[in-house]
Structures are given as structure tokens and as C-alpha cells.
């Protein structure tokens, strides 16, 4: 494929190995600071080499990938999976993720009863009665 290449752009590489769906999403992730190469924030044009560690923040969690093969064109999923080593820790079990009470967007301000229920749920209820 691209065996004669010594480096590749980081945005092109994360798109080629199917971490993001489009090249423009990869560039936007780099601009927003969601991509790090060897612990440093990466601009879209920064080059990656074999052995580099690439961290991509996706929905609140970091995906840690070590470059094993350089790609500049999008390839099949099986070839893409062989192009990196995934060091991402497994997600925490669902029981450990604390569920915060959320109101529906656009529901307006909570009523007094809803506010009291939220405070009780958060453990900040005041029993002054």
C-alpha cells in the first residue's frame, strides 16, 4: 500500500485507519485539540511515524493507538485494524458510571417540587421542618 512512505499527516492517518468517518472530521478534531501525538497536541498537518502514540478523544474517552503501518488512503477495515495497536483501556462497567439527573432540553425551569426532588437525589436536601 504505502510501504515506501516514511511519515503521514495525522489527520489523514486517523481517517485512513477509520477512527473518524471523514477527512474533514479528522481535521476538525485536530483543530479542537482532540488529537495528541506522543502526548503533545497535534495540528492536522503534523506527521506521524511508525511507533508514535496517537490519542484521539471520542465521546469523552481517549482512544490510544500506536502506529504500526503508515497509510494515506482509506483502506478496508481489516487492513486498517492491522495498521495500529489499540492500547485503549476497556470502558468502565455501566454500574460504575454515575447517572446524573438530567432534564429534557427545552423543558424550562424546574418547578419547586422538581427542584426539591433533584436536591434530595443529590443528597443536599434540607430537613428544616
Amino acid at each position: 500500500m504505502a510501504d515506501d512512505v516514511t511519515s503521514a499527516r495525522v489527520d489523514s492517518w486517523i481517517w485512513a485507519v477509520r477512527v473518524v468517518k471523514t477527512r474533514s472530521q479528522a481535521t476538525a478534531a485536530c483543530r479542537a485539540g482532540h488529537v495528541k501525538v506522543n502526548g503533545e497536541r497535534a495540528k492536522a498537518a503534523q506527521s506521524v511515524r511508525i511507533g508514535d502514540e496517537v490519542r484521539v478523544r471520542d465521546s469523552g474517552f481517549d482512544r490510544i493507538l500506536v502506529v504500526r503501518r503508515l497509510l494515506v488512503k482509506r483502506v478496508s477495515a481489516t487492513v486498517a485494524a492491522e495498521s495500529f495497536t489499540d492500547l485503549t483501556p476497556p470502558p468502565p462497567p455501566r454500574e460504575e458510571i454515575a447517572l446524573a439527573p438530567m432534564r429534557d432540553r427545552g423543558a424550562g425551569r424546574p418547578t419547586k417540587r422538581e427542584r426539591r426532588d433533584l436536591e434530595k437525589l443529590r443528597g443536599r436536601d434540607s430537613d428544616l421542618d
Side-chain angles (χ1 to χ4, degrees):
M1 304 265 171
D3 295 330
D4 59 338
V5 178
T6 59
S7 66
R9 286 174 57 116
V10 67
D11 62 340
S12 177
W13 187 81
I14 63 174
W15 165 74
V17 296
R18 297 172 172 262
V19 175
V20 294
K21 288 186 179 183
T22 65
R23 176 87 185 268
S24 58
Q25 282 180 343
T27 305
C30 291
R31 280 193 190 132
H34 298 301
V35 178
K36 292 183 179 182
V37 176
N38 297 325
E40 301 288 325
R41 275 182 66 174
K43 292 186 177 180
Q46 182 173 336
S47 61
V48 291
R49 291 177 172 66
I50 294 174
D52 284 351
E53 180 187 85
V54 179
R55 289 178 179 251
V56 181
R57 181 162 287 281
D58 183 32
S59 61
F61 296 100
D62 277 351
R63 190 157 176 208
I64 305 166
L65 310 171
V66 176
V67 180
R68 287 180 29 196
R69 186 170 169 192
L70 294 173
L71 300 171
V72 290
K73 298 286 185 188
R74 197 162 171 101
V75 293
S76 67
T78 53
V79 174
E82 297 167 356
S83 300
F84 60 85
T85 305
D86 197 352
L87 301 178
T88 307
R94 287 189 151 276
E95 299 84 37
E96 290 183 19
I97 300 173
L99 295 176
M102 298 291 288
R103 291 179 46 83
D104 291 334
R105 192 167 167 87
R109 291 180 60 180
T111 63
K112 190 177 246 185
R113 170 182 263 166
E114 290 172 336
R115 183 182 51 78
R116 287 180 183 151
D117 290 341
L118 285 171
E119 294 295 324
K120 187 182 286 184
L121 191 63
R122 290 180 180 145
R124 290 186 256 165
D125 57 334
S126 59
D127 295 328
L128 300 175
D129 298 326

